[in-house]
Every structure is written in C-alpha cells, then in structure tokens.
Amino acid sequence: MLIAQLDNSCEFPHPTNALAEPNGLLAFGGDLSAERLKAAYSKGIFPWFSPDEPPLWWSPDPRAVLIPGELHTGRTLRRFIRKHSYQITVNYAFDQVIYGCAQRQEGTWIGANIQQGYQTLHQEGRAHSVEVWHKRQLVGGLYGVSVGALFCGESMFSKIENASKCAFVAFYHHFLRHGGQLFDCQVLNHHTESLGAKNIPRREFLQYLEQGKKQSLQAGCWDTQVLEL
C-alpha cells in the first residue's frame, strides 16, 4: 500500500489507512503550519521525521495513552517528590522547553521547522509547556498539544534527576482538576510506561478523541502559573 502525499490543503487520509509496517505511517509531505498541525491532531495524527526527511505523519496502532486514575508513582519517586526542591510551572517558557527537548540525543528530530510550527501553536493557545526549575534554572519539562479535553504529549527532557517525571506528575493532577480526560503518549516507551501509560487499540483511542473534542477544560487550565507537586 502506498502512503498519501499531502498537497496544499490540510486534508489527511483516515488514520485506518496507515501502514502496519512501519507502524502508523499515514502520509508524507505538506508543511508544519498551525492549521495543518491542528487538523492532524484533531484526527489523531502527529508528525515525526528526521531533519533530512520530508514531514512524515503517523497514527500508530496500538496507541499509548495514560487513562485518568492510572498514574503510577513508585515508592522511590514518591520519596523523591516529598524531598524535592523543584518549582513546576505551566506556560512560562515554551520556547526554552521545546529547545531543551530538541537537545536530547533522542530529540534530534525536533528541527527548526518543527520548533517554529509548535511555537505558532503555542501563540494560538493550542500548544503548552510544563517547566521544572531548580535554583532558578530550567532543568526539565515537557510540551504537547491540547485537543479539547485531551492532552497530546510530544516530548520531555531532564537535565537533572527525575525532572521530567516531576513535571508530568504535577501536570497530571493539574490537568485532571480542570476536567482533562486522557493523556495521549503516542508510542509506549519505558519512561511513559513507568508512569502508568499503556497501549490501547487505535479505534479505541479515536473514540476517546471524538468524545474529548466535544468537551472543554475548565477556565484557567492553561494560565501561566505555578503548580503544586
């Protein structure tokens, strides 16, 4: 099966047209404009590609998610959080967070065009960051895209111990308090699995997505603020 080449419109094939191998590859081409990114996320599609490649668009099956109530914080992490001296914020330093994610060895796919696309989404109030500060220095964080009552996580980074995990735990409780329904983790890895993420069939994820798009978070969720941990 051939994958679709995108044109100047922001239309995407249905996610069920994605390849089984490589898992979830749906389309290539197009730009990373805010309109195209919003269209992609509204259908459960996200970009992931190397800087020397054209944009590649994915919708894997199964899909990694964290369902409310299933966050796992082990004894070691709970002990660490009780003793932490980190400050956690929302939307204080989006540009610095996405740049920090791009500096990770695994984050080399976050090229300048990807950073620019998500920075535009942030300016429109659709992409958000969570920052971790230690002694007034940014030491970790995460960023992602909000789609109604869903949060689609994109990447995270840590410069010191457990920084990104602390960001996620603080944001998890904040998001749920404001009516959040699901965390999209895209593809399961050791880091997200350790926090309780699991795989579900793509069709089930798309059902969550359709329901979540009809709901709104409570006011203030994305205000620039300090979070409790």
Side-chain angles (χ1 to χ4, degrees):
M1 181 185 296
L2 297 177
I3 63 171
Q5 180 174 4
L6 302 182
D7 55 24
N8 291 330
S9 73
C10 293
E11 294 296 322
F12 284 90
H14 193 275
T16 55
N17 291 326
L19 299 180
E21 184 60 41
N23 181 18
L25 181 58
L26 178 68
F28 73 98
D31 57 20
L32 292 169
S33 66
E35 290 306 311
R36 192 182 298 275
L37 287 171
K38 286 185 287 188
Y41 281 95
S42 71
K43 294 184 177 180
I45 301 164
F46 59 87
W48 182 60
F49 58 98
S50 299
D52 58 346
E53 296 177 331
L56 301 176
W57 303 88
W58 304 78
S59 185
D61 187 14
R63 188 78 167 225
V65 300
L66 178 59
I67 295 173
E70 297 189 1
L71 176 69
H72 174 72
T73 53
R75 182 181 304 174
T76 301
L77 180 58
R78 291 196 300 270
R79 186 184 303 117
F80 180 89
I81 289 174
R82 286 195 298 269
K83 297 179 179 179
H84 88 289
S85 57
Y86 298 164
Q87 183 180 58
I88 315 295
T89 58
V90 171
N91 284 335
Y92 263 71
F94 183 89
D95 291 359
Q96 293 179 55
V97 168
I98 195 170
Y99 179 79
C101 291
Q103 301 312 299
R104 297 169 51 227
Q105 182 177 357
E106 304 89 340
T108 53
W109 63 275
I110 306 175
N113 55 346
I114 289 181
Q115 293 182 51
Q116 182 176 1
Y118 285 95
Q119 286 164 347
T120 302
L121 273 190
H122 174 65
Q123 293 164 8
E124 294 186 2
R126 298 292 294 272
H128 309 281
S129 60
V130 181
E131 302 86 16
V132 183
W133 308 89
H134 180 61
K135 297 181 179 179
R136 299 187 178 182
Q137 299 295 314
L138 182 68
V139 296
L142 62 89
Y143 78 96
V145 178
S146 58
V147 182
L150 276 70
F151 183 77
C152 305
E154 274 298 316
S155 188
M156 56 178 63
F157 79 102
S158 292
K159 290 184 177 180
I160 59 178
E161 184 181 9
N162 287 329
S164 63
K165 287 187 176 181
C166 287
F168 190 89
V169 171
F171 174 67
Y172 170 89
H173 295 294
H174 172 76
F175 186 63
L176 295 192
R177 283 195 299 269
H178 287 81
Q181 297 297 312
L182 190 75
F183 293 85
D184 171 25
C185 301
Q186 298 180 349
V187 178
L188 197 65
N189 58 42
H190 175 74
H191 194 66
T192 53
E193 187 174 22
S194 71
L195 292 168
K198 65 181 182 181
N199 281 327
I200 63 173
R202 179 174 54 209
R203 65 178 183 279
E204 187 176 338
F205 169 74
L206 294 176
Q207 291 171 356
Y208 276 115
L209 179 62
E210 287 305 310
Q211 295 169 2
K213 287 192 297 186
K214 300 173 184 176
Q215 303 177 44
S216 299
L217 297 173
Q218 296 174 13
C221 183
W222 302 121
D223 292 350
T224 302
Q225 60 195 287
V226 178
L227 301 185
E228 296 179 1
L229 179 59

